Amino acid sequence: MTTADTTPPLRIGLLGTGPWARNTQAPALAAHPGVELSGVWGRRAEAADALATAHGTRAYTGEEGIDALLEASDAVAFALPPDVQAPLAVRAAEAGCHLLMDKPVATTVAGARAVAEAAEKASVASVVFCTLRFAPETSAWIAEQAAVDGWFTARAQWLGSLYAAGSDSEYADSPWRRDKGGLWDVGPHALSVLIRVLGDVEHLTAAAGPADTTHLILRHTSGASSTVTLGLSAPPGAAGVEIELRGERGTASIPGWAGAETAFRGAVDALAEAVRTGVPHACDARFGLHLTELLAAAEEQAG
């Protein structure tokens, strides 16, 4: 005879109604067996209504709607530009809500620090969604490589063609991505892998490449070095993601992964575990602050 699970679902509200919310977060939250999608907030009432209706929940809008959604939720997920996300994350933490944030947490160190401090002060759990740390295929590979000694160097490339001629991606309409480029958009993904496997970054050198491309050279606490190339303007034929490690045992390359929605469900699971146990996740708001510090230093160097 088995005992039924009586754990109440984690009520998670969604802030944002753009492509990321529509394509990934809302479907993942609505389908998660341990989650109740407690509502959707949007700046435009019609967008909030449409997304909420599609997933059987309530729509909120306006300043009063933010407060109402926070009151109706145990946690909130963010599908907003980083510098809109950051102050709302502080507000959510102060209201006692756990935080499931997108990367980067903010595009200023001060903004990211405010989030980390608010989460710590309110004793709420937090997770920053760095995709590769939560997709089942890549998270298992990362853990396996982190357990191996003797890595000598690594090479990471994350090149998108978001701004290439002929691109019809709806994410290309994002003003913050166009302003901050691949360094801030995809840099957190690559750094989250390299730091986990090779150790924290002791020294960073950055240089600008063509269009929005940025090149990084990193020295890690393990003694290994890595190079990273990040951009959103590569020709379609040059786009792709590669992370390769080289060391005493040879080489290892990161596998492909099923997609963002599956990875996001992994992040939801991680947040729920942190809420349940009180043990911070490695990709928490404090880690999000550290990533912001590295990205800001790289941006300043690259000019």
Side-chain angles (χ1 to χ4, degrees):
M1 181 177 178
T2 59
T3 302
D5 184 2
T6 58
T7 303
L10 188 66
R11 299 175 303 159
I12 302 182
L14 176 58
L15 291 165
T17 59
W20 187 239
R22 294 195 309 270
N23 299 337
T24 300
Q25 293 189 338
L29 292 169
H32 196 291
V35 167
E36 175 191 334
L37 179 56
S38 51
V40 174
W41 177 89
R43 180 177 52 84
R44 294 185 299 112
E46 61 273 23
D49 286 338
L51 189 57
T53 299
H55 296 286
T57 191
R58 181 178 175 183
Y60 297 83
T61 193
E63 281 295 308
E64 69 284 356
I66 295 174
D67 292 328
L69 180 57
L70 295 180
E71 186 175 352
S73 305
D74 304 309
V76 283
F78 295 86
L80 297 167
D83 293 326
V84 177
Q85 169 180 249
L88 287 178
V90 171
R91 186 168 164 182
E94 290 173 346
C97 290
H98 307 289
L99 309 174
L100 181 49
M101 294 173 287
D102 203 7
K103 53 74 213 163
V105 171
T107 62
T108 66
V109 172
R113 180 175 293 115
V115 175
E117 291 178 350
E120 184 174 347
K121 182 178 180 180
S123 297
V124 297
S126 58
V127 165
V128 179
F129 182 49
C130 296
T131 303
L132 302 182
R133 295 291 292 270
F134 298 101
E137 306 89 344
T138 53
S139 63
W141 181 87
I142 292 166
E144 180 182 352
Q145 309 318 316
V148 174
D149 293 327
W151 293 118
F152 183 69
T153 192
R155 175 181 58 85
Q157 291 192 127
W158 194 306
L159 292 171
S161 55
L162 204 63
Y163 301 125
S167 171
D168 59 356
S169 172
E170 54 189 339
Y171 296 104
D173 294 331
S174 167
W176 83 265
R177 282 187 176 87
R178 188 170 290 278
D179 180 47
K180 304 302 284 187
L183 173 66
W184 287 88
D185 187 25
V186 298
H189 296 311
L191 289 171
S192 74
V193 176
L194 296 172
I195 289 171
R196 175 71 178 90
V197 177
L198 303 180
D200 202 1
V201 176
E202 287 187 325
H203 187 268
L204 178 153
T205 302
D212 74 307
T213 305
T214 302
H215 302 283
L216 307 178
I217 302 173
L218 310 175
R219 187 174 67 235
H220 298 267
T221 53
S222 65
S225 64
S226 64
T227 60
V228 187
T229 299
L230 307 161
L232 300 176
S233 304
V241 178
E242 298 178 6
I243 299 179
E244 180 187 75
L245 306 167
R246 290 179 174 267
E248 295 173 358
R249 302 191 187 188
T251 63
S253 297
I254 199 164
W257 63 98
E261 186 177 337
T262 300
F264 190 73
R265 286 199 297 268
V268 173
D269 291 337
L271 181 67
E273 180 71 5
V275 171
R276 184 184 68 82
T277 64
V279 178
H281 190 273
C283 292
D284 65 358
R286 186 62 61 178
F287 182 67
L289 166 60
H290 185 46
L291 290 178
T292 303
E293 291 170 337
L294 293 172
L295 295 170
E299 182 179 62
E300 183 177 4
Q301 282 195 34

